Amino acid sequence: MCFHYQNGEMYAEGVDVKRIAREVGTPFYCYSSDKLTQNYQAYREALAEFNATVCYSVKANTNLAIVSALARMGSGADVVSAGEMYVAMKAGIPADKIVFSGVGKTAAELEAAIKNQILQINAESAAEVRAINEIALRLGIKANVALRVNPDVDALTHVKITTGKKENKFGVDWDDALPLYREASKMEGVRLAGIAVHIGSQLLDAEPFRLAFAKVAAMVRELEAEGIVLDNIDLGGGLGINYNAELPLTCTAYAEVVRETLGSLHKHIIVEPGRSVVGNAGILVTEVVCTKKMGSKNFIVVDAGFNDLVRPAMYDAWHTIQPVSKKGVAPLIADIVGPICESGDVFAKDRIIEPVQAGRLLAIMCAGAYGASMSSIYNFRPLVPEVMVRGGEFCVVRKRTSYEEMLAGHSLPAWL
Ligand code: LLP
């Protein structure tokens, strides 16, 4: 019972959401420790038969308390910038459980990763492998490298979160992978540690995973036939969650695909889930500023905007929106919109919702992943507080930024 109703009032575990709103103000993100734990443990249990490491994909939610809670449970991290690597290490994730992905790692980022001797750098181009080798030779440290291969598989998800097709910018082209492995196997600064694949996010179907993993298995065998033996197979992230009425793949069903395609290779398996670990463990709570009617259209204007949660504006994503206090009144159809001066600042169009007046609270559900981590201060709106609940207690795990903090890095040129 993570987010649930008691006598018409929404609770986050044992805490009345209204009470948090009174204490921290709106909008705010609220995370359930219990849900986070359940989601992480579901992966652990499903993958128990493998030598597997769950490397939580930090980009989904970079809050230090979230990453620390996962670190305590034994999670590793998938990072895509030196900044995320910094957070992962601050949270206590050991370097040998960190993988670094991303198409455009800078020399400085590669150097940091090599110095930290992380589990593996998922290189995405020949140029990157060569750069890693040079930096590693200069530092006198062998870098653990995997090639992120692009399997050219359609993930059957939203176009902006599809990553495993030939036309996407990600990974090494399938046909170039073997020659690049051969080249890298001769590099003095490189230890070939693994192979990596990530085909997209919010996948609901097992088939794209099966196709991609089977291709990876074939490549691993081909490499072994040439004497290139890898330790790690990194399967990326991508498991979808239920935002509306989706039927997501369970971790168990996913593990079944891993077993069928890769089980006989007996390799160290790495998975990089983000959304499926934090997505449904978080909500965004917002207050209704006003309501208005224009022609036949109802608008509910709330105090959160797309700077706080960009997913609906950016991916046409559906998030269920519920009143924090249910009155049981007959619903109406309304657009739920934010205050930002852009027409795209819409959380829900033509949504069936009970009428709510100014001052009422709404909860935007499943906002734990790619919510706070993608937020900005557009319109000079402060980053909102993040609160973590455990049982009957809650803690502010990031405070609202103040205007002074928002201006802190600004300075004026001498001529002004
Ligand atoms: N590994 C790599 C290399 C990735 O690029 C990603 C996500 C993940 C793991 C984690 O994927 P997940 O398990 O969360 O699906 N902002 C978008 C999602 C972008 C995903 C980017 N990469 C959204 O809000 O839907």
Side-chain angles (χ1 to χ4, degrees):
M1 294 297 268
C2 300
F3 298 105
H4 61 109
Y5 284 95
Q6 268 175 45
N7 302 323
E9 299 297 328
M10 184 180 281
Y11 276 71
E13 300 190 21
V15 182
D16 186 350
V17 171
K18 272 198 320 297
R19 195 184 115 214
I20 309 176
R22 267 199 308 273
E23 292 190 26
V24 308
T26 56
F28 65 91
Y29 278 98
C30 175
Y31 307 125
S32 157
S33 310
D34 196 23
K35 195 78 197 169
L36 186 70
T37 306
Q38 284 174 25
N39 291 340
Y40 173 77
Q41 294 303 348
Y43 273 99
R44 290 273 16 130
E45 282 157 30
L47 297 170
E49 72 192 82
F50 305 100
N51 169 20
T53 304
V54 178
C55 289
Y56 163 64
S57 193
V58 174
K59 65 173 84 63
N61 189 314
T62 325
N63 186 283
L64 188 61
I66 294 272
V67 187
S68 299
L70 290 162
R72 291 276 180 89
M73 291 185 258
S75 182
D78 157 50
V79 303
V80 289
S81 68
E84 285 189 357
M85 184 162 58
Y86 173 78
V87 175
M89 294 182 79
K90 276 270 173 204
I93 295 181
D96 63 5
K97 282 189 184 173
I98 296 178
V99 298
F100 192 168
S101 317
V103 280
K105 304 178 200 78
T106 64
E109 288 181 315
L110 291 173
E111 178 162 337
I114 296 168
K115 278 187 178 154
N116 287 332
Q117 296 185 276
I118 63 168
L119 173 56
Q120 67 183 28
I121 301 173
N122 293 341
E124 302 212 14
S125 65
E128 188 182 347
V129 176
R130 290 170 200 147
I132 293 171
N133 185 44
E134 277 173 30
I135 298 167
L137 287 174
R138 172 164 56 75
L139 296 174
I141 307 169
K142 247 186 191 320
N144 298 316
V145 176
L147 295 192
R148 173 167 172 189
V149 293
N150 184 325
D152 194 23
V153 165
D154 191 345
L156 308 173
T157 183
H158 191 282
V159 54
K160 285 190 187 161
I161 50 178
T162 291
T163 51
K165 288 282 291 168
K166 234 180 167 55
E167 63 265 28
N168 300 132
K169 66 180 177 181
F170 297 98
V172 175
D173 189 272
W174 192 260
D175 299 328
D176 298 336
L178 268 180
L180 185 55
Y181 266 112
R182 286 182 199 121
E183 182 186 335
S185 70
K186 299 191 188 83
M187 293 178 181
E188 284 297 315
V190 167
R191 185 184 82 84
L192 279 175
I195 184 165
V197 72
H198 170 80
I199 55 175
S201 197
Q202 185 58 14
L203 271 75
L204 297 168
D205 196 350
E207 277 323 293
F209 284 125
R210 195 187 309 279
L211 285 173
F213 299 171
K215 287 186 89 167
V216 167
M219 177 146 325
V220 169
R221 290 202 173 89
E222 249 181 286
L223 286 165
E224 294 208 339
E226 295 195 19
I228 300 175
V229 180
L230 307 173
D231 295 337
N232 312 323
I233 303 182
D234 179 344
L235 302 176
L239 256 74
I241 63 170
N242 179 17
Y243 284 106
N244 184 8
E246 296 92 337
L247 281 177
L249 212 58
T250 61
C251 289
T252 319
Y254 175 78
E256 180 80 39
V257 177
V258 177
R259 181 179 316 118
E260 283 168 20
T261 50
L262 299 159
S264 61
L265 290 172
H266 303 292
K267 297 286 181 187
H268 174 217
I269 300 288
I270 299 168
V271 291
E272 304 174 346
R275 189 192 312 269
S276 48
V277 174
V278 283
N280 63 6
I283 59 174
L284 174 62
V285 179
T286 180
E287 186 176 302
V288 177
V289 175
C290 65
T291 56
K292 63 178 188 174
K293 209 171 156 97
M294 286 160 79
S296 60
K297 235 179 147 57
N298 295 305
F299 290 95
I300 299 172
V301 186
V302 298
D303 65 358
F306 76 46
N307 70 302
D308 304 309
L309 175 67
V310 78
R311 302 196 67 258
M314 191 152 173
Y315 315 108
D316 302 311
W318 169 289
H319 284 264
T320 295
I321 303 180
Q322 296 176 334
V324 166
S325 307
K326 276 190 180 162
K327 306 271 191 228
V329 187
L332 47 69
I333 296 178
D335 282 10
I336 302 165
V337 303
I340 291 179
C341 43
E342 293 203 29
S343 310
D345 190 21
V346 176
F347 288 116
K349 260 196 177 350
D350 297 325
R351 191 61 71 84
I352 301 171
I353 183 160
E354 79 172 54
V356 281
Q357 306 311 321
R360 291 279 300 277
L361 298 175
L362 296 178
I364 306 182
M365 308 306 290
C366 281
Y370 307 109
S373 66
M374 292 182 79
S375 61
S376 75
I377 59 165
Y378 185 44
N379 280 199
F380 217 68
R381 291 163 48 82
L383 295 176
V384 306
E386 294 173 75
V387 167
M388 186 180 267
V389 170
R390 195 191 64 164
E393 56 182 343
F394 78 88
C395 174
V396 177
V397 291
R398 188 189 69 193
K399 68 176 188 61
R400 192 183 306 281
T401 47
S402 66
Y403 294 141
E404 297 77 60
E405 285 160 343
M406 288 157 72
L407 272 184
H410 295 223
S411 53
L412 298 180
W415 60 84
L416 276 184

